[in-house]
Amino acid sequence: MQREIGILTLYASADALKFAGEYFRTFADAQEELVDVEIAGHPTFIKVMTAYNRMVWEMRADAMTWSVFAPNRKGRKYKPSMSPEDLEN
């Protein structure tokens, strides 16, 4: 990440860092394609949004690891609200 966006220090679990990197790459790749897009729900935007949600989910799980308010193991598993098949329709 350092080469692409400058110096950025993140303190997180390995999974949170992995998904943060995925989001930053997805976001950067989508910029050229989404410049003049005005259509709500464009597949590339959905891809960026999904990467963002995945990153935030992992950050939340990381932050809540030692909390009394942490969800149980089943509640920590990421489940997207839209499947790839939903995006095609």
Side-chain angles (χ1 to χ4, degrees):
M1 278 193 273
Q2 206 169 5
R3 290 184 203 137
E4 293 182 25
I5 59 175
I7 296 174
L8 177 66
T9 303
L10 300 172
Y11 298 95
S13 68
D15 284 341
L17 292 173
K18 177 178 79 174
F19 289 112
E22 181 181 312
Y23 166 68
F24 290 134
R25 278 189 303 278
T26 304
F27 184 85
D29 294 344
Q31 292 307 298
E32 290 181 27
E33 188 174 342
L34 293 176
V35 169
D36 295 321
V37 172
E38 296 178 9
I39 301 167
H42 188 279
T44 303
F45 175 76
I46 300 295
K47 186 176 179 182
V48 173
M49 180 182 69
T50 301
Y52 175 80
N53 289 342
R54 186 70 173 119
M55 174 188 70
V56 170
W57 185 270
E58 285 302 325
M59 289 177 167
R60 177 183 177 271
D62 187 23
M64 298 294 283
T65 299
W66 300 105
S67 173
V68 171
F69 303 104
N72 60 23
R73 284 195 185 273
K74 184 179 176 186
R76 287 184 222 154
K77 187 166 177 85
Y78 180 73
K79 296 175 197 159
S81 57
M82 297 176 70
S83 69
E85 293 81 32
D86 294 334
L87 299 176
E88 293 173 4
N89 297 328

